[in-house]
């Protein structure tokens, strides 16, 4: 397993020491058509649980929170011109890429199974 979740619907897809962070498919469905993504600057540090930007759809606006601490090594600049990519495929269209400073933080996040249970409860 290499994907972990926050209860606020952000994911961290981990490859080595890099975490690709975005919103879950569940969150994308709830938001509907994304019209704007507020991206942070690359080369800045972030702490787990800290907000790093915002996402807006025709239905709502939400802050984005980082599941892990580390350095933002890249932002997905495609989203500046085409934010709806997040709506179409939130897993492929990650928002930021973070080099993790403390991979042990992953133990504090939800597994895919626990996250699926959380989403099921929210729907009832």
């Amino acid at each position: 397993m290499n994907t972990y979740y926050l209860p606020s619907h952000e994911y961290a897809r981990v490859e080595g020491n890099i975490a690709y962070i975005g919103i879950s498919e569940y969150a994308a469905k709830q938001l509907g058509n994304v019209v704007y993504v507020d991206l942070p600057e690359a080369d800045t540090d972030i702490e787990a649980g800290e907000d790093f930007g915002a996402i807006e759809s025709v239905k709502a606006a939400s802050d984005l929170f980082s599941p892990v601490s580390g350095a933002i090594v890249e932002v997905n600049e495609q989203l500046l011109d085409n934010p709806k990519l997040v709506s179409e495929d939130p897993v492929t269209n990650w928002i930021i890429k973070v080099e993790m400073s403390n991979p042990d933080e992953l133990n504090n996040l939800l597994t895919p199974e626990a996250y699926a249970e959380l989403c099921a409860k929210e729907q009832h």
Side-chain angles (χ1 to χ4, degrees):
M1 180 188 74
N2 68 349
T3 303
Y4 304 85
Y5 298 88
L6 280 172
S8 54
H9 305 292
E10 291 84 1
Y11 67 78
R13 192 178 78 238
V14 178
E15 293 178 16
N17 198 36
I18 299 293
Y20 294 84
I21 297 170
I23 64 166
S24 70
E25 290 184 24
Y26 176 82
K29 281 189 187 109
Q30 299 294 15
L31 281 169
N33 192 19
V34 173
V35 295
Y36 177 73
V37 180
D38 180 26
L39 297 171
E41 295 291 318
D43 301 322
T44 54
D45 290 336
I46 192 158
E47 295 293 319
E50 185 179 296
D51 71 76
F52 65 83
I55 191 164
E56 291 179 28
S57 73
V58 290
K59 294 182 186 175
S62 302
D63 287 335
L64 295 166
F65 297 94
S66 181
V68 296
S69 300
I72 299 172
V73 292
E74 190 178 339
V75 297
N76 188 347
E77 293 188 359
Q78 290 182 66
L79 302 180
L80 294 173
D81 294 329
N82 200 355
K84 73 175 191 251
L85 290 172
V86 174
S87 312
E88 293 166 1
D89 188 350
V91 176
T92 302
N93 295 296
W94 48 271
I95 298 171
I96 60 172
K97 194 159 85 171
V98 173
E99 185 174 343
M100 294 184 290
S101 59
N102 184 2
D104 288 343
E105 291 173 340
L106 296 171
N107 298 327
N108 301 330
L109 301 174
L110 298 172
T111 63
E113 297 78 18
Y115 180 70
E117 286 178 27
L118 174 83
C119 293
K121 285 180 188 156
E122 284 191 7
Q123 289 177 331
H124 294 294

